[in-house]
Amino acid sequence: MNAGRTARERARAELTDQIKAAARRQLATEGAERLSLRAISREMGMVSSALYRYFPSRDDLLTALIIDAYDALGAAAESAAAAKDDAHPSDIWLAVCAAVRDWARANPQEYALIYGSPVTGYKAPQTTVEPASRVPILMLGIVTRANTHGWLARLDNAPEPTGRLAEQVDVLAALAIGVPRRVLLRVAIVWTQLFGMISFELFGQLVGTMDPADDFFAEACKQMATFIGLRSNATVGF
Amino acid sequence: MNAGRTARERARAELTDQIKAAARRQLATEGAERLSLRAISREMGMVSSALYRYFPSRDDLLTALIIDAYDALGAAAESAAAAKDDAHPSDIWLAVCAAVRDWARANPQEYALIYGSPVTGYKAPQTTVEPASRVPILMLGIVTRANTHGWLARLDNAPEPTGRLAEQVDVLAALAIGVPRRVLLRVAIVWTQLFGMISFELFGQLVGTMDPADDFFAEACKQMATFIGLRSNATVGF
DNA sequence: TCACTGTCAAGAGCACTGCTCTCGGTTTTG
DNA sequence: CAAAACCGAGAGCAGTGCTCTTGACAGTGA
């Protein structure tokens, strides 16, 4: 690559990456709450104040880690979808759901960083919304392709959103041309179910009942895929 | 009341409550992460070390706040259900969902404390599981009553859980006598959807699409109530 | 070649945190 | 009434994010 012209710029980019790597390492073991700039600087053999040349504050480091986490999750989901490119949309959908869960289980602290409680007083900058929307956009794309191929159940009984809800659904409609609004509304519902279930698993809300959650997760994803019309009633009985 | 015999015991109980109240106040403005024992002691005109006579560590204070939060949420949900005691189970169900959301929106920091990312290295003690299960138990009770009155849709097309998943569902079955396992499985799915949706709303994941989420929440709850058979197909078309 | 400019790591220091320990004084108890 | 238990106050430790200053270095134009 050699993107940076001068040696100084290259060194700076490399050190920035090293700091983020050390921060991620510490994130995995200590958690976002206990992430300490001084500990990072110790691990790197630097003095703490030197880190402020690269990240003006702890929050800026967190922002960088948040963006990286969204991108890593999005990349994992997208590659899972690409690996099943010629499969049935319902199988692609289920593969994406599984990939999201797998990534979350492999990187619980990074998942908590983006889908857990936000840090008070920390305002997520606008730069995070684009990487954050990779997974939803991917999911909408799967539904859109299923629809254009005529593989989407009609869901005639599903209620059509009206009023303000219809306007809100239209934001999704712009990314899913041709998909009926009643389906998009359900996609949004299923979207919240997916991440709610993963959060419950990771945050320990399932212990005593559905933990370990492998079977529960698989069955829930199947039923939710049917719920949005990706799987036919005949297939699974719904 | 005068529960505590001696004056000292009464003073201790009162001061413990005052500390928790101050902590809750600070929680609402600063967030759990920045909750500071020293700030609490300042607000109370005490010295920080004196707090350790009442809570051996910051984590113990957090545990007390967590239990209080679970109890407050459970009480809010239960009173919402009690207020509609003679209504149709589906209306009771929807009232409970709305009450949970309302409580979460009114106490976002306490909600984040119990349903957000857990603090790393903090092991929730066993004393939290009983208050944590008040809402799920309440929900299972509504479904159970609907079933015994014959008001639950049969959901013949819903798949029956098998294998380990069936065993896990049986944990719920013990609290919902007579309700088919395929329904209980769906109750668990809907349970994760409800809290996933509330978390998304509170944690800012819905901005740009479904925010404000009033209509989305109401419609999602309705469709999910139908999903578990509380509302008939004819009512809403499903 | 040499001075100028921007960048860098280092160090001292500030205000804050959770937590421990000791010290007197008060309250409860035997 | 004396002993034991409990209490708040204060000092102090090790850690935190962050700021500011200092001296060394690299790149650049004269």
Side-chain angles (χ1 to χ4, degrees), chain B residues 23-106:
Chain B
R24 240 186 315 267
R25 223 172 300 132
Q26 196 185 328
L27 194 68
T29 62
E30 300 294 322
E33 201 153 338
R34 302 186 206 272
L35 186 135
S36 150
L37 292 183
R38 292 179 115 110
I40 295 173
S41 70
R42 271 196 302 269
E43 179 181 331
M44 304 187 59
M46 292 172 68
V47 105
S48 70
S49 58
L51 288 188
Y52 287 84
R53 303 260 178 215
Y54 299 88
F55 296 96
S57 79
R58 183 177 179 274
D59 279 1
D60 290 273
L61 213 196
L62 274 179
T63 298
L65 294 179
I66 287 173
I67 292 177
D68 284 1
Y70 274 127
D71 272 328
L73 173 61
E78 285 164 11
S79 85
K84 295 216 167 209
D85 195 31
D86 48 358
H88 188 278
S90 110
D91 291 329
I92 303 179
W93 176 277
L94 294 180
V96 167
C97 292
V100 170
R101 174 175 181 249
D102 289 342
W103 185 90
R105 281 156 52 95

Side-chain angles (χ1 to χ4, degrees), chain B residues 169-180:
Chain B
V169 168
D170 280 345
V171 177
L172 309 181
L175 300 166
I177 311 292
V179 180

Side-chain angles (χ1 to χ4, degrees), chain A residues 34 120 157 186 223 237-238, chain B residues 34 120 157 186 223 237-238:
Chain A
R34 304 186 204 272
T120 319
N157 289 337
R186 287 196 167 183
Q223 292 206 24
F238 177 57
Chain B
R34 302 186 206 272
T120 318
N157 289 336
R186 287 196 167 183
Q223 292 205 23
F238 177 60

Side-chain angles (χ1 to χ4, degrees), chain A residues 66-67 70 123-134 136-137, chain B residues 204 207:
Chain A
I66 287 173
I67 292 176
Y70 274 127
K123 178 82 175 61
Q126 200 63 20
T127 45
T128 61
V129 321
E130 188 247 320
S133 55
R134 282 176 69 170
I137 286 177
Chain B
V207 294

